[in-house]
Amino acid sequence: MAVQNSINTNPGVFVALRTLNSVNRDLDVTQNRVSTGLRVSGALDDASNFSIAQGIRGELKAIGAVTQGLNNAKGIGKVATAGATAVSDLLQNVRTKLTELSNEGITTAQRAILTDDFNQLLSQAANFIDNAVFNGVNLLDTAGTSVSINTLSNLSGGTLTLTAQDLRTQVGSLAAVSTGSASSAQAVLTTQYAALESVVNTALGALGAEVRALDLQTSFLEQISDATEEGLGNIVDADLARESARLTALQVQQQLSIQTLGIANQRPQGLLGLFR
């Protein structure tokens, strides 16, 4: 038979203390979930789920790095497209000047003025190409540092390409022509000008398609990232409404456990009355 009336051993205190310790541990866990918003904030909470979550977090960072690379490539492509578009717009005026220079009825002075205008337009086209630089890359000047850009597009090693377009050579070729006579100007119009126009149109088509592909892939990766982050939340996020209710309940349990422990500690005091 257990001894219930002893000043050396108080079983009631042991029970109350174990209950209080259990409530305090649960309260610590709930308070941590409320403060962090996470149900699994470390390996001690749930080793397997925490390990899975860490892997998913690594994937999210990798997706972010891929997206950043795609955005950088989009910047290069959009600047190159803007430069090619500016050259294309300028070609309309270049064609007009060449057509006027093909007219045998203009005077020598008029031909000199038109030739100067023609040269100025080509000089401006060269400036457009020079300025089509983003992050040190110019896709329109293969005679310089420009090369095609291969950009990582997913976590499996796939790439998307921005193809370099050689507008510099064709603009230089057109700038070197002679328009001293109507026949030479007409020949330029059907050869060097036609070649430049074809190259510019090809560049616009290729760059437009490639930049659109980069845009689509970036949007897709954003959707993948959002879905992955949602899945991560399902694994580690705490239900704060539930945790709030549990926190209130545990606080009440803690107060009751403290009172019970106080009552249990008073039991040996009652034994003093037996000796009066």
Side-chain angles (χ1 to χ4, degrees):
M1 180 177 178
V3 178
Q4 297 295 326
N5 299 312
S6 170
I7 62 173
N8 295 317
T9 304
N10 190 345
V13 169
F14 297 153
V15 173
L17 187 58
R18 284 197 300 271
T19 301
L20 179 60
N21 288 338
S22 176
V23 170
N24 284 339
R25 284 192 295 270
D26 291 343
L27 188 58
D28 288 341
V29 170
T30 301
Q31 287 176 331
N32 181 65
R33 291 177 178 178
V34 171
S35 63
T36 63
L38 296 174
R39 181 178 61 84
V40 180
S41 59
L44 295 180
D45 295 328
D46 188 328
S48 59
N49 278 333
F50 181 73
S51 176
I52 293 171
Q54 288 295 87
I56 294 174
R57 290 187 179 104
E59 288 185 2
L60 283 171
K61 289 186 177 181
I63 290 173
V66 172
T67 301
Q68 180 61 42
L70 289 172
N71 286 331
N72 183 62
K74 281 197 296 184
I76 295 172
K78 287 182 178 180
V79 168
T81 301
T85 301
V87 173
S88 178
D89 292 340
L90 199 65
L91 286 182
Q92 300 172 25
N93 294 327
V94 171
R95 181 170 185 173
T96 298
K97 297 303 176 183
L98 285 172
T99 301
E100 291 174 349
L101 287 167
S102 300
N103 182 8
E104 294 182 353
I106 61 175
T107 65
T108 301
Q110 291 172 334
R111 182 171 297 279
I113 294 172
L114 289 171
T115 300
D116 183 62
D117 286 345
F118 171 76
N119 292 332
Q120 288 295 330
L121 289 171
L122 292 180
S123 176
Q124 185 59 53
N127 287 335
F128 289 155
I129 294 172
D130 288 338
N131 293 327
V133 180
F134 182 87
N135 198 27
V137 179
N138 188 336
L139 289 177
L140 304 183
D141 185 5
T142 56
T145 59
S146 177
V147 293
S148 296
I149 304 297
N150 294 317
T151 304
L152 193 66
S153 62
N154 55 47
L155 300 184
S156 300
T159 59
L160 290 174
T161 301
L162 282 173
T163 307
Q165 308 293 331
D166 186 12
L167 301 191
R168 169 72 67 187
T169 300
Q170 293 298 331
V171 168
S173 176
L174 184 57
V177 300
S178 171
T179 57
S181 65
S183 60
S184 61
Q186 183 62 40
V188 168
L189 191 60
T190 57
T191 54
Q192 288 94 337
Y193 173 83
L196 175 57
E197 186 178 43
S198 176
V199 168
V200 170
N201 290 338
T202 299
L204 286 172
L207 289 171
E210 290 166 355
V211 171
R212 183 168 59 249
L214 291 170
D215 272 328
L216 291 173
Q217 184 64 14
T218 302
S219 298
F220 174 69
L221 287 181
E222 288 175 353
Q223 294 174 14
I224 292 295
S225 179
D226 291 344
T228 302
E229 193 163 354
E230 182 178 350
L232 174 62
N234 291 334
I235 295 173
V236 301
D237 286 357
D239 184 343
L240 290 183
R242 182 183 296 274
E243 296 302 332
S244 175
R246 180 169 173 75
L247 178 63
T248 301
L250 287 171
Q251 288 172 336
V252 173
Q253 291 178 37
Q254 183 187 51
Q255 295 172 8
L256 291 175
S257 296
I258 291 172
Q259 292 177 6
T260 301
L261 181 60
I263 293 171
N265 279 329
Q266 291 175 2
R267 176 177 293 181
Q269 297 286 340
L271 296 177
L272 294 177
L274 300 176
F275 298 96
R276 293 177 183 169

